Amino acid sequence: EFMESFEESKATEQERIRSLEGNVMAILEHISQSMVQLQHLPTPGQFEDMQADLAFKQEEMEKSEATAKTLDVENTKLQQDLVKVEELDGKITSELASLKDSISTMTREIEVFADLQGLQSDEEEKKRLFTEEKERL
């Protein structure tokens, strides 16, 4: 019986050996690729330097974000101040125009009151007219 199944067993074993050889070749290729990748990995010292650099950059990023937030708050405050200044500017312009009108009116009144003789003669004329009116009535 051994002889009868020998050829079949031999063929099966040879097929199994070829399959195992293929698996060994695939594993060797994978090991080779891994070794190449290993050569590109940083050394422990380089890795520590990279971690320190990453930590430093993260701190700087956090500082930058905090600065950006602070600047945003400051910008908002300055925008509000600008609105207030513009409103105040409008009020000042209005007040200045009002004061110019008042100065103009006062200047005219000063000119009138500076002419005392003219005022006295106007008052005497009014007095005379009232007296005539009174006598007529």
Side-chain angles (χ1 to χ4, degrees):
E1 186 174 320
F2 175 75
M3 291 300 269
E4 293 172 7
S5 65
F6 175 75
E7 286 300 320
E8 188 179 319
S9 295
K10 180 180 172 186
T12 305
E13 281 301 312
Q14 285 178 341
E15 183 61 35
R16 192 173 71 82
I17 289 172
R18 277 192 290 274
S19 175
L20 289 173
E21 285 175 349
N23 287 344
V24 168
M25 290 299 290
I27 290 171
L28 286 174
E29 285 180 20
H30 180 72
I31 289 172
S32 175
Q33 290 172 354
S34 295
M35 289 181 74
V36 168
Q37 290 175 349
L38 244 157
Q39 291 174 355
H40 296 295
L41 290 177
T43 64
Q46 291 172 331
F47 182 69
E48 288 177 14
D49 290 345
M50 290 169 72
Q51 283 183 321
D53 190 40
L54 176 63
F56 172 75
K57 288 180 179 179
Q58 284 176 331
E59 287 178 28
E60 291 299 310
M61 184 178 73
E62 289 170 3
K63 288 178 187 177
S64 295
E65 288 173 350
T67 300
K69 287 179 184 176
T70 301
L71 289 174
D72 193 35
V73 168
E74 184 70 20
N75 182 36
T76 300
K77 181 181 175 277
L78 289 174
Q79 291 294 329
Q80 292 170 347
D81 289 349
L82 177 63
V83 169
K84 289 177 184 176
V85 167
E86 288 173 346
E87 289 173 357
L88 187 60
D89 184 49
K91 289 178 183 177
I92 289 172
T93 302
S94 174
E95 184 69 23
L96 183 61
S98 174
L99 289 173
K100 284 181 180 180
D101 288 344
S102 295
I103 288 173
S104 176
T105 301
M106 288 178 183
T107 302
R108 286 192 304 274
E109 289 175 351
I110 287 173
E111 289 173 1
V112 169
F113 291 122
D115 183 18
L116 288 177
Q117 285 183 338
L119 284 173
Q120 284 176 345
S121 67
D122 285 346
E123 287 302 313
E124 287 175 9
E125 180 65 24
K126 285 181 186 177
K127 186 177 178 183
R128 185 184 64 75
L129 288 173
F130 284 136
T131 306
E132 287 177 8
E133 185 71 32
K134 183 178 174 185
E135 287 175 6
R136 234 184 329 136
L137 294 175

